[in-house]
């Protein structure tokens, strides 16, 4: 997925708009009665097919297909959702925005470190696994740190300021 340049900016704006639209749709009365399991399974199958076909021009379609999958999970009460509701998975969801913010820096840092160690130049496939594992580990660690040091305190600070600016009921 292209995350730089004008196309990347347009994609990010579209992702945000799709997220807002999905949230608004989720809150509408009666929407929960739709067959979300079937809808999300069809969207997931289409998503997998597009990934397997490796059609790069379909970034925007892929983003559109993620929304019904997420909504299906939001309405579902089955085993998958119960599995995703365990404490470690909920924590990963809580820090996910911070992980998103640091992942590119983590990938670049791991790449730089491996190059300095001369590991990237080796043709061994194990280096790919090392790169991926280290990138994920650094992204999660950096995201957790950013969440607890910046995001969570900022959230509490902003909420306190908003409460202070609310007019007294009366």
């Amino acid at each position: 997925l292209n995350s730089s340049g004008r196309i990347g900016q347009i994609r990010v704006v579209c992702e945000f708009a799709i997220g807002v639209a999905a949230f608004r749709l989720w809150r509408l009365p009666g929407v929960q009665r739709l067959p979300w399991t079937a809808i999300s399974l069809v969207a997931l199958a289409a998503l997998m097919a597009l990934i397997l076909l490796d059609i790069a021009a379909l970034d925007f379609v892929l983003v559109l297909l993620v929304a019904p999958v997420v909504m299906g999970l939001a309405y579902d009460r089955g085993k998958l959702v119960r599995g995703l509701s365990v404490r470690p998975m909920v924590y990963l969801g809580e820090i996910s925005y911070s992980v998103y913010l640091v992942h590119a820096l983590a990938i670049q840092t791991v790449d730089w470190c491996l190059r300095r160690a001369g590991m990237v130049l080796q043709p061994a496939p194990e280096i790919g696994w090392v790169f991926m594992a280290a990138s994920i580990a650094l992204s999660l660690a950096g995201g957790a740190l950013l969440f607890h040091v910046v995001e969570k305190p900022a959230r509490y600070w902003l909420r306190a300021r908003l409460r202070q600016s609310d007019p007294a009921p009366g």
Side-chain angles (χ1 to χ4, degrees):
L1 297 175
N2 182 2
S3 61
S4 62
R6 186 164 310 280
I7 295 296
Q9 293 168 352
I10 293 169
R11 184 178 50 79
V12 169
V13 168
C14 289
E15 288 171 353
F16 181 78
I18 291 166
V20 170
F23 175 73
R24 296 211 176 228
L25 179 64
W26 183 73
R27 295 186 65 188
L28 290 175
V31 172
Q32 68 272 14
R33 289 191 295 271
L34 293 172
W36 283 107
T37 301
I39 292 169
S40 61
L41 286 174
V42 168
L44 189 58
L47 185 65
M48 292 300 120
L50 291 174
I51 290 169
L52 289 173
L53 291 172
D54 195 25
I55 301 172
L58 295 176
D59 278 1
F60 294 99
V61 176
L62 294 175
V63 171
L64 276 172
L65 290 171
V66 169
V69 172
V70 171
M71 292 193 59
L73 290 170
Y75 285 118
D76 191 21
R77 300 291 175 250
K79 291 179 185 177
L80 177 60
V81 171
R82 284 195 300 275
L84 293 173
S85 298
V86 297
R87 191 171 214 56
M89 296 303 287
V90 170
Y91 180 71
L92 286 175
E94 288 175 343
I95 69 168
S96 65
Y97 184 67
S98 293
V99 170
Y100 165 73
L101 291 176
V102 302
H103 82 280
L105 180 60
I107 291 168
Q108 291 173 349
T109 301
V110 170
D111 181 63
W112 182 84
C113 290
L114 290 176
R115 286 182 189 281
R116 295 277 297 174
M119 295 176 73
V120 171
L121 302 177
Q122 298 175 12
E126 296 83 29
I127 300 305
W129 289 105
V130 169
F131 180 81
M132 186 173 67
S135 296
I136 291 170
L138 188 58
S139 294
L140 290 174
L145 180 66
L146 185 63
F147 176 77
H148 290 288
V149 173
V150 178
E151 184 180 346
K152 199 171 183 181
R155 184 185 314 152
Y156 289 132
W157 183 83
L158 283 170
R159 285 181 183 161
R161 297 303 164 268
L162 289 173
R163 269 189 243 113
Q164 289 174 357
S165 67
D166 282 344

